[in-house]
Amino acid sequence: MSINLQALFAQLLVGLINGSFYALLSLGLAVIFGMLNIINFAHGALYMMGAFAAYFLLNVLNIGYWPALIVAPLAVGIFGMILERTMLKWISGLDHLYGLLLTFGMALIIQGVFQNYFGSSGLPYAIPDLLKGGMNLGFMFLPIYRGWVVIFSLIVCILTWYLIERTRLGANLRAATENPTLVRAFGINVPRMITLTYGLGVGLAALAGVLSAPINQVRPLMGADLIIVVFAVVVIGGMGSIMGSIITGFALGIVEGLTKYFYPEASNTVVFVLMVLVLLIKPSGLTGRAA
Amino acid sequence: MVEVTMADPVNTAASGKTVLTVENLQAWYGESHILHGIDFNVKAGEVVTLLGRNGAGKTTTLKSVMGIIGKRTGSINFEGQEISKAQSDKIAKLGIAFCPEERGIFASLDVRENLMLPPTIRPGGLSLDAIFELFPNLKERLNSQGTKLSGGEQQMLAIGRILRTGARFLMLDEPTEGLAPVIIQQIGHTIARLKSEGFTILLVEQNFRFAATVADRYYIVEHGKIIDGFANAELPQNMEKLHTYLGV
Ligand SMILES: Nc1ncnc2c1ncn2[C@@H]1O[C@H](COP(=O)(O)OP(=O)(O)O)[C@@H](O)[C@H]1O
Ligand SMILES: [Mg+2]
């Protein structure tokens, strides 16, 4: 078969964009799982809240895209910290199942409330002026906003990795993941660190939501659809490693894009097929520690 | 309850005031009642050793003082403050530092990060150079993963990291357990050195031959109670009793 490079690169770009969202979301899930030992099923709903926060900022307070990149994750992150302090805190130490049920319930409630007020159709969010238009790269046409999402996501992922793996604060976090009792006995306020970690993971989800608003519109169920794929990504990558979840996120986005080009019929299922294969061969995931 | 009276030790700098007083301490793991009324005290500048058989409740006593046993009652007074209800991070900030029996070296941290983990709670802790002078091995291994160190090096790291914080009251849980004689000796020198610099140390040991080289006083723990106590000078006349207590 002859290869249409234009179309191939276009699908690769779509894959990279999706990969950016997978990476940001699975990174947040990994950070939260490490510290709270909770599989955060509310992650998709919080991602959606990030997009809605950007929408409200623009349409109610007339605050545009650039400030929203900071304000929306902060606001939704604070909302997440309130959820942690008022609810998640009480189930720490219990079986995974409790966290799963609680966060799943939270997701249904949050999504239900938004659906009640905004229905199921999408609200538009315009691409910021600075990122409008496109560039002809010779081998393909690159919409600037999409290029920006990929590069910015990559930078945020790498900064988060650096924060956790290379800084003093990150060392506290890693230590508290291993042995919270001892870390607390050294005089570190571990409960506060847990709350902030949840806030960080939620903030990353909300940031992904803001990034996606100009691409996918703002819909109450936008997270519910995406998060199913993200959980498959997490299963494939394993929950254990920060870098692992970033790489797996981008890689699976690319795999999806390639599938869309070479065998479009499988593009919606390829991630799940991979998930099944990984579960059969290495149940703890490609980069994960044994549970 | 057995009343324990003892002479003040004669050969120490420990003329100081009492820094830790534990009275009728009881502690539980879930439903199981482990400590049944522990009474002892530690004075400034002393090395006090808790001796006792495996499972007697020595570790549980240290953990109770540190605030990491969920259910505990009785009184624990540290430098005039009641801490028996306090959370462990608050207790650490008052100046108590803990070196656990299992050492608690973090696998996801390198040696430097392990060493820097406990936050400084007040000025006056040892500098990194002073710690490397005590434990030269650590300096060579700064970039290794914490748990890649040998058992002896891990113990040095576990002790070294709590010397940085400025805490002057150290609790060491069986620091010589499972280590080679030359390393035990090195740890003995370290404890003597810390004592000469005015640290107060609450030590748990099974190895009373080692304890005898550093301790000012001993308490015997059995079935979650203090059943006896004496000063180091009284060790010879208590030797026989000690053999019975420890079953050696
Ligand atoms: N986490 C725990 N859960 C339940 N029981 C425990 C736990 N840790 C210790 N114990 C029990 O408490 C008793 C005292 O243990 P410990 O304080 O560790 O003794 P020691 O340090 O003197 O050897 C033992 O009978 C031990 O089995
Ligand atoms: Mg013990």
Side-chain angles (χ1 to χ4, degrees):
Chain A
M1 104 195 209
S2 73
I3 289 182
N4 174 348
L5 277 183
Q6 287 274 1
L8 176 61
F9 284 125
Q11 291 303 351
L12 268 180
L13 179 64
V14 171
L16 272 175
I17 300 263
N18 286 337
S20 304
F21 294 124
Y22 299 162
L24 282 173
L25 289 168
S26 63
L27 174 61
L29 284 174
V31 170
I32 290 171
F33 181 76
M35 193 73 182
L36 287 87
N37 218 2
I38 278 177
I39 300 168
N40 187 34
F41 264 83
H43 220 62
L46 295 160
Y47 158 84
M48 175 270 288
M49 283 183 73
F52 267 95
Y55 179 84
F56 291 138
L57 284 170
L58 184 66
N59 293 291
V60 180
L61 302 175
N62 207 18
I63 294 173
Y65 178 83
W66 298 105
L69 275 183
I70 295 169
V71 178
L74 263 181
V76 180
I78 289 169
F79 175 73
M81 290 193 262
I82 293 170
L83 293 182
E84 195 280 330
R85 271 292 149 111
T86 53
M87 288 187 266
L88 294 176
K89 183 178 134 183
W90 302 106
I91 56 158
S92 72
L94 299 182
D95 191 272
H96 281 162
L97 193 58
Y98 291 88
L100 196 150
L101 287 172
L102 178 55
T103 54
F104 188 58
M106 292 183 338
L108 292 180
I109 291 170
I110 294 170
Q111 278 161 188
V113 168
F114 276 82
Q115 259 190 305
N116 188 40
Y117 288 101
F118 301 98
S120 292
S121 59
L123 303 165
Y125 188 95
I127 293 177
D129 290 339
L130 195 62
L131 302 173
K132 282 197 172 119
M135 251 191 298
N136 197 338
L137 299 180
F139 55 92
M140 70 177 291
F141 180 78
L142 174 71
I144 290 178
Y145 186 77
R146 298 189 172 222
W148 151 257
V149 167
V150 173
I151 289 168
F152 184 65
S153 303
L154 197 59
I155 292 172
V156 169
C157 285
I158 289 171
L159 285 179
T160 308
W161 171 84
Y162 186 87
L163 172 75
I164 291 170
E165 299 292 344
R166 290 290 180 272
T167 67
R168 180 89 197 253
L169 186 68
N172 290 357
L173 222 124
R174 277 175 281 138
T177 300
E178 269 186 61
N179 187 345
T181 308
L182 184 58
V183 170
R184 193 167 187 192
F186 285 149
I188 295 174
N189 189 336
V190 172
R192 188 173 64 197
M193 225 159 88
I194 290 176
T195 307
L196 288 172
T197 303
Y198 192 72
L200 171 70
V202 168
L204 286 169
L207 180 66
V210 181
L211 289 174
S212 92
I215 299 180
N216 300 318
Q217 295 203 322
V218 179
R219 286 184 302 117
L221 291 183
M222 62 194 278
D225 302 341
L226 180 60
I227 205 66
I228 297 176
V229 185
V230 172
F231 275 113
V233 171
V234 163
V235 170
I236 293 169
M239 280 287 208
S241 134
I242 300 295
M243 192 46 103
S245 59
I246 298 173
I247 293 174
T248 315
F250 278 101
L252 286 174
I254 293 171
V255 167
E256 248 184 7
L258 289 177
T259 314
K260 227 172 256 170
Y261 178 81
F262 287 107
Y263 189 56
E265 295 82 350
S267 65
N268 289 328
T269 46
V270 61
V271 170
F272 299 100
V273 172
L274 284 175
M275 179 182 87
V276 171
L277 288 178
V278 168
L279 278 177
L280 289 174
I281 297 161
K282 192 164 181 286
S284 60
L286 296 178
T287 63
R289 301 169 293 215
Chain B
M1 202 196 306
V2 181
E3 267 301 306
V4 181
T5 52
M6 66 188 71
D8 265 310
V10 278
N11 57 343
T12 70
S15 52
K17 55 185 186 338
T18 306
V19 284
L20 180 75
T21 308
V22 175
E23 280 168 348
N24 192 27
L25 171 65
Q26 312 215 13
W28 289 257
Y29 287 110
E31 293 296 301
S32 44
H33 192 174
I34 303 294
L35 300 185
H36 299 270
I38 294 270
D39 299 84
F40 70 97
N41 61 66
V42 182
K43 298 189 180 68
E46 274 189 312
V47 176
V48 169
T49 300
L50 305 180
L51 296 168
R53 292 182 209 225
N54 245 332
K58 306 178 295 294
T59 297
T60 308
T61 303
L62 295 195
K63 285 185 172 173
S64 300
V65 173
M66 198 67 244
I68 53 186
I69 298 286
K71 188 172 172 200
R72 54 196 195 275
T73 65
S75 162
I76 305 173
N77 189 297
F78 180 70
E79 292 184 339
Q81 295 203 49
E82 182 58 41
I83 58 169
S84 60
K85 301 276 181 293
Q87 300 284 2
S88 61
D89 50 336
K90 296 281 165 359
I91 294 173
K93 286 194 180 120
L94 294 175
I96 302 184
F98 178 44
C99 176
E101 187 171 5
E102 66 283 357
R103 296 180 188 134
I105 302 303
F106 295 91
S108 57
L109 275 60
D110 64 23
V111 170
R112 186 196 312 271
E113 288 172 328
N114 267 287
L115 203 51
M116 300 306 289
L117 179 68
T120 305
I121 50 144
R122 61 178 65 150
L126 267 60
S127 67
L128 278 184
D129 284 337
I131 293 170
F132 294 145
E133 197 189 309
L134 287 171
F135 304 121
N137 300 37
L138 295 183
K139 194 172 183 174
E140 312 263 90
R141 311 283 319 257
L142 275 178
N143 296 315
S144 309
Q145 186 189 345
T147 44
K148 289 270 161 66
L149 299 187
S150 70
E153 288 169 332
Q154 289 194 29
Q155 188 64 64
M156 295 171 196
L157 181 54
I159 297 176
R161 71 181 168 192
I162 61 172
L163 303 180
R164 262 188 47 255
T165 65
R168 304 291 290 170
F169 186 91
L170 312 180
M171 298 196 292
L172 311 179
D173 196 348
E174 303 210 29
T176 66
E177 194 181 5
L179 300 183
V182 333
I183 295 171
I184 295 183
Q185 222 175 38
Q186 196 181 353
I187 288 173
H189 290 318
T190 304
I191 293 176
R193 167 85 180 277
L194 294 172
K195 184 182 167 191
S196 75
E197 292 183 12
F199 282 88
T200 306
I201 297 172
L202 177 57
L203 183 69
V204 162
E205 264 302 334
Q206 302 259 10
N207 176 349
F208 79 84
R209 270 169 249 286
F210 170 79
T213 63
V214 291
D216 296 308
R217 288 192 291 133
Y218 306 90
Y219 288 98
I220 313 296
V221 184
E222 197 170 289
H223 300 309
K225 285 184 173 173
I226 302 283
I227 55 158
D228 203 350
F230 46 84
N232 195 37
E234 301 160 332
L235 190 59
Q237 63 261 41
N238 281 287
M239 219 52 187
E240 213 159 308
K241 267 201 307 191
L242 203 53
H243 280 294
T244 335
Y245 291 145
L246 302 179
V248 286

